[in-house]
C-alpha cells in the first residue's frame, strides 16, 4: 500500500533497504540481469507488484534537436522480496530529440501496453507537460495517477545512481530481453561516473 501512495516514506524506506556503492565507483553492465520474457510471465508477472512509468526529461525544441541531455522514459516493475526490492525495466524510450508532446505519447503508449496508471516524471511540476499528458491519456481512455518522488529527487544524482548500482550488484536490477536502446543504456551505465550523460541510470534509479 505504501508503494501505491507515493509518499516520501516509501521512497525513503526503499533507499534505506537498498545496497549502495560510493558515487565515485564504476558500474558493470553485467550486474544488470536480462530477464527472459517467459521467466517474467511465469515467475514475476503473477506476483503482486508495483508498476510505474518514470522519466528523466530533457525535452527538445527545434533549436536543440539532437543536442545535450537525453530524455529517458521507463516502465518499471518493483517487487518486494523479503527485505529488498527487485526492479525490472519492462519498456523504455530514449532520445535527445524528443519533444514534450512526443513524450506524452510515449507515456500513453506504455500505460496502455503495460496497464500502468502511476506516472512519476522527475519534473512533476511541469504543468504544461502534465496537462499534455492528461489530455492525451484521457483521449486514449487511460487516466494517469501522478506520484511525486518527493525528497528522493532532492538527493544528488550520483547518490541516486549509487543506490541503483548497489542494488544491481546484489542482483536486484533487471530488464526484459529485447528492451529498446540497450546500446546507449549500457554505454551510460559503464561510463558512469565519468561519462557525459547519466540520464538513463538516473531514470532507472527512481
Amino acid at each position: 500500500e505504501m508503494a501505491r501512495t507515493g509518499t516520501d516514506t516509501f521512497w525513503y524506506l526503499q533507499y534505506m533497504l537498498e545496497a549502495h556503492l560510493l558515487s565515485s565507483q564504476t558500474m558493470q553492465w553485467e550486474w544488470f540481469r536480462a530477464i527472459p520474457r517467459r521467466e517474467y510471465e511465469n515467475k514475476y508477472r503473477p506476483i503482486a507488484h508495483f508498476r510505474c512509468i518514470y522519466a528523466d526529461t530533457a525535452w527538445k525544441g527545434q533549436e536543440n534537436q539532437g543536442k545535450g541531455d537525453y530524455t529517458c522514459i521507463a516502465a518499471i516493475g518493483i517487487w518486494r522480496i523479503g527485505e529488498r526490492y527487485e526492479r525490472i525495466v519492462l519498456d523504455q524510450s530514449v532520445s535527445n530529440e524528443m519533444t514534450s508532446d512526443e513524450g506524452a505519447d510515449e507515456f500513453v503508449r506504455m500505460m496502455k501496453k503495460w496497464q500502468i496508471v502511476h506516472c512519476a516524471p522527475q519534473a512533476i511540476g511541469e504543468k504544461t507537460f502534465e496537462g499534455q499528458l492528461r489530455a492525451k491519456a484521457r483521449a486514449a481512455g487511460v487516466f494517469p495517477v501522478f506520484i511525486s518522488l518527493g525528497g528522493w529527487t532532492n538527493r544528488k544524482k550520483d547518490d541516486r545512481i549509487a543506490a541503483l548500482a548497489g542494488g544491481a550488484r546484489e542482483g536486484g536490477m533487471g530488464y526484459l530481453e529485447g528492451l529498446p536502446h540497450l546500446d546507449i543504456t549500457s554505454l551510460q551505465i559503464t561510463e558512469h561516473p565519468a561519462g557525459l550523460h547519466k540520464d538513463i541510470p538516473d531514470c532507472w534509479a527512481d
Side-chain angles (χ1 to χ4, degrees):
E1 180 59 29
M2 267 197 305
R4 293 186 176 276
T5 64
T7 62
D8 287 355
T9 303
F10 169 70
W11 304 107
Y12 175 75
L13 287 174
Q14 177 178 342
Y15 182 82
M16 294 301 293
L17 288 169
E18 289 288 357
H20 286 65
L21 293 183
L22 296 176
S23 59
S24 60
Q25 289 183 278
T26 59
M27 287 187 283
Q28 297 180 29
W29 178 240
E30 292 74 19
W31 294 347
F32 296 80
R33 188 164 70 94
I35 310 293
R37 290 186 177 267
R38 178 173 295 181
E39 180 181 348
Y40 166 74
E41 293 290 341
N42 294 337
K43 178 181 178 181
Y44 289 98
R45 187 176 180 183
I47 300 175
H49 61 285
F50 176 70
R51 279 174 289 176
C52 186
I53 302 173
Y54 300 89
D56 184 6
T57 58
W59 307 127
K60 304 301 181 184
Q62 291 183 346
E63 72 285 351
N64 59 350
Q65 286 281 313
K67 300 176 182 178
D69 290 338
Y70 289 76
T71 287
C72 177
I73 302 171
I76 299 178
I78 304 176
W79 286 257
R80 176 75 180 269
I81 309 294
E83 293 188 350
R84 71 180 184 130
Y85 291 89
E86 285 194 22
R87 300 184 190 88
I88 298 177
V89 182
L90 307 172
D91 199 352
Q92 73 171 357
S93 182
V94 179
S95 175
N96 66 347
E97 299 180 348
M98 190 182 297
T99 65
S100 61
D101 191 64
E102 292 168 337
D105 288 335
E106 279 300 296
F107 265 85
V108 171
R109 179 186 69 81
M110 292 185 194
M111 290 176 69
K112 296 182 70 174
K113 179 177 180 180
W114 299 100
Q115 299 179 331
I116 296 174
V117 297
H118 294 93
C119 299
Q122 284 186 358
I124 197 170
E126 288 185 5
K127 296 302 181 183
T128 301
F129 174 68
E130 188 174 328
Q132 284 178 312
L133 178 52
R134 286 189 186 278
K136 286 178 176 286
R138 185 167 55 250
V142 291
F143 301 92
V145 175
F146 288 94
I147 292 177
S148 172
L149 300 183
W152 178 250
T153 51
N154 291 331
R155 296 179 181 272
K156 293 180 181 179
K157 178 180 290 192
D158 284 346
D159 288 344
R160 298 196 302 266
I161 295 175
L164 170 74
R169 185 178 61 176
E170 297 298 319
M173 189 72 209
Y175 60 91
L176 276 187
E177 281 187 344
L179 186 75
H181 310 291
L182 280 182
D183 287 345
I184 189 171
T185 300
S186 61
L187 180 65
Q188 287 195 12
I189 284 175
T190 55
E191 286 188 343
H192 178 76
L196 180 61
H197 297 290
K198 309 175 183 181
D199 317 291
I200 300 171
D202 188 31
C203 178
W204 285 21
D206 289 339

